[in-house]
């Protein structure tokens, strides 16, 4: 079956509807699937943790499938909660689990909130009914209890648009952003108000760095997506302090821009940073440990010499799009239950 013959209805509770939204990775996957010849129709809705919104979206999707269901070959749900709308199934179902749908919404104490535990439970229910499950990293396996019989599970990280995320000379990037040419800058990407991102931990670490080499903490939040490569190229390091993640895009995007990364040991980040000059995975999550790693990276005063970019090339969205298409084909061919295909090496 050629990609041009595939007709997919993609359901997502996250969509890049404004310049600062962070779900660009889904829109990117749709764009690359369409470029590969797949006919993708997107059903986007805003759940906002409100059951009535999910119910309304479910009814709307039912009506669409009743009218036009025959034009689709399968449904691809982004996030476990989006898969709820596809139940009961009318078409084969592929679900991508991206992180917080499996480990739940976390409170300030680092534990799932009641809503987060409900999300975990619902995502596991959806997984039991899927024809194939995609995880964005290997470590998410611990959150997805295997149903009996289990659907085949594939590991496909979120990909990168390597034409957008590319190294830009630091002076050029700072000039573009209107920043002064001198001074060290450490980038924090994420919502400072999200407990999972642990902004205070990053802030405390950079305050300690200021006692020695001096650095300004730059917050990359609600930055237009097209501007993010300039932020990454204008800064001297990325500090990453999240408590939980699926497969963090900020780290991979930084590598594509050859920006050194200092991170806590979370998700697949240790795998991503292995062997990359200037990058460090901290031994613990304390501000002094993170500060010491940042100081070493900043004193080095160099990019990753192309090694980060080379590592990120494995995550080219074009390559991973081909893998997703293969999963679609295996589901439709009825062979999907006979193997588990994993991309643990990327």
């Amino acid at each position: 079956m050629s990609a041009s013959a595939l007709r997919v209805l993609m359901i997502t509770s996250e969509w890049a509807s404004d310049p600062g939204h962070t779900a660009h990775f889904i829109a990117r996957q749709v764009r690359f699937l369409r470029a590969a010849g797949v006919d993708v129709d997107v059903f986007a809705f805003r759940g906002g943790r409100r059951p009535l919104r999910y119910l309304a979206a479910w009814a709307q999707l039912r009506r669409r499938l009743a009218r036009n269901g025959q034009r689709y070959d399968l449904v691809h749900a982004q996030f476990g909660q989006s898969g709820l709308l596809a139940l009961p199934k009318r078409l084969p179902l592929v679900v991508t689990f991206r992180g917080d749908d499996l480990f739940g919404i976390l409170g300030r104490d680092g534990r799932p909130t009641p809503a987060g535990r409900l999300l975990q439970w619902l995502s596991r229910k959806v997984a039991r009914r899927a024809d194939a499950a995609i995880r964005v990293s290997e470590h998410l396996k611990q959150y997805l209890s295997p149903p009996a019989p289990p659907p085949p599970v594939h590991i496909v990280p979120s990909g990168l648009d390597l034409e957008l995320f590319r190294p830009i000379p630091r002076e050029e990037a700072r000039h573009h952003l209107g920043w002064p040419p001198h001074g060290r800058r450490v980038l924090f990407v994420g919502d400072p108000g999200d407990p999972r991102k642990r902004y205070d931990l990053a802030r405390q670490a950079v305050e300690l760095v200021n006692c020695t080499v001096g650095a300004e903490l730059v917050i990359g939040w609600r930055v237009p997506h097209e501007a993010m490569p300039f932020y990454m190229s204008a800064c001297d390091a990325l500090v990453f302090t999240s408590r939980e993640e699926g497969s963090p895009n900020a780290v991979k995007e930084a590598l594509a821009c050859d920006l050194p990364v200092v991170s806590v040991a979370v998700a697949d980040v240790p795998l991503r940073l292995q062997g990359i000059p200037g990058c460090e995975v901290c031994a613990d999550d304390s501000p002094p440990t993170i500060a010491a790693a940042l100081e070493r990276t900043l004193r080095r005063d160099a990019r990753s010499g192309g090694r980060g970019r080379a590592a990120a090339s494995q995550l080219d969205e074009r390559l991973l799009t081909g893998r997703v298409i293969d999963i679609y084909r295996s589901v439709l061919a009825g062979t999907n239950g006979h193997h588990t295909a994993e991309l643990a090496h990327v």
Side-chain angles (χ1 to χ4, degrees):
M1 179 180 294
S2 67
S4 60
L6 290 171
R7 301 166 302 174
V8 175
L9 174 62
M10 186 172 289
I11 308 173
T12 179
S13 58
E14 300 287 341
W15 190 249
S17 56
D18 63 75
H21 202 280
T22 59
H24 296 280
F25 50 90
I26 297 176
R28 181 170 59 243
Q29 186 176 78
V30 169
R31 186 170 72 252
F32 277 75
L33 282 168
R34 286 171 175 166
V38 180
D39 181 2
V40 183
D41 193 6
V42 176
F43 181 88
F45 71 102
R46 288 286 188 195
R49 306 179 193 177
R50 299 183 184 179
L52 288 179
R53 288 187 181 181
Y54 279 88
L55 183 60
W58 179 86
Q60 185 180 351
L61 184 66
R62 292 292 105 184
R63 290 192 294 269
R64 177 181 293 194
L65 289 173
R67 291 194 307 267
N68 303 313
Q70 69 279 1
R71 75 176 299 270
Y72 304 119
D73 296 305
L74 58 84
V75 172
H76 183 175
Q78 300 280 354
F79 303 99
Q81 63 267 31
S82 300
L84 289 171
L85 273 61
L87 303 178
K89 288 192 303 181
R90 293 187 178 211
L91 294 166
L93 175 62
V94 176
V95 184
T96 295
F97 296 94
R98 295 189 169 274
D100 56 6
D101 46 2
L102 294 179
F103 52 70
I105 303 160
L106 302 182
R108 295 197 175 276
D109 61 357
R111 297 179 179 180
T113 63
R117 287 193 290 273
L118 176 61
L119 178 58
Q120 286 179 312
W121 182 80
L122 291 173
S123 292
R124 289 167 182 160
K125 292 291 185 183
V126 168
R128 288 184 173 90
R129 290 161 176 77
D131 296 281
I134 297 174
R135 297 195 309 263
V136 294
S137 66
E138 170 64 27
H139 87 287
L140 291 177
K141 181 178 182 179
Q142 63 183 302
Y143 300 101
L144 194 60
S145 55
V153 178
H154 310 260
I155 298 177
V156 183
S158 295
L160 298 172
D161 183 344
L162 294 176
E163 293 183 3
L164 175 62
F165 285 91
R166 77 283 184 196
I168 302 168
R170 182 167 57 187
E171 296 74 15
E172 177 186 335
R174 291 187 176 185
H175 177 76
H176 177 86
L177 295 172
W179 294 1
H182 305 295
R184 295 183 175 96
R185 291 173 175 82
V186 176
L187 180 63
F188 174 90
V189 175
D191 180 1
D194 183 348
R196 180 167 57 92
K197 299 294 183 180
R198 296 198 291 187
Y199 166 73
D200 284 344
L201 181 56
R203 177 183 55 78
Q204 292 167 26
V206 174
E207 286 176 354
L208 290 174
V209 170
N210 266 322
C211 297
T212 53
V213 299
E216 175 187 349
L217 182 61
V218 175
I219 300 174
W221 173 242
R222 295 205 171 277
V223 172
H225 192 54
E226 296 74 17
M228 191 57 76
F230 288 94
Y231 274 73
M232 290 183 165
S233 296
C235 289
D236 301 281
L238 174 77
V239 61
F240 199 79
T241 51
S242 289
R243 190 187 304 275
E244 290 279 7
E245 289 284 350
S247 179
N249 289 295
V251 169
K252 295 180 285 190
E253 291 164 354
L255 292 177
C257 296
D258 261 341
L259 176 66
V261 178
V262 172
S263 177
V264 298
V266 63
D268 58 355
V269 174
L271 172 67
R272 302 287 168 213
L273 301 189
Q274 190 172 7
I276 308 297
C279 295
E280 288 200 37
V281 177
C282 299
D284 59 59
D285 295 5
S286 68
T289 298
I290 298 169
L294 277 172
E295 182 178 345
R296 287 189 292 271
T297 293
L298 293 173
R299 286 191 184 279
R300 183 176 174 272
D301 192 27
R303 311 302 276 190
S304 61
R307 296 277 292 278
R309 177 76 175 177
S313 66
Q314 303 174 58
L315 300 164
D316 187 330
E317 189 73 68
R318 288 171 294 186
L319 299 175
L320 300 181
T321 293
R323 185 70 194 101
V324 172
I325 291 172
D326 287 344
I327 294 169
Y328 292 164
R329 287 171 172 157
S330 66
V331 167
L332 296 176
T335 62
N336 208 36
H338 302 295
H339 65 283
T340 298
E342 298 197 346
L343 290 182
H345 62 285
V346 298

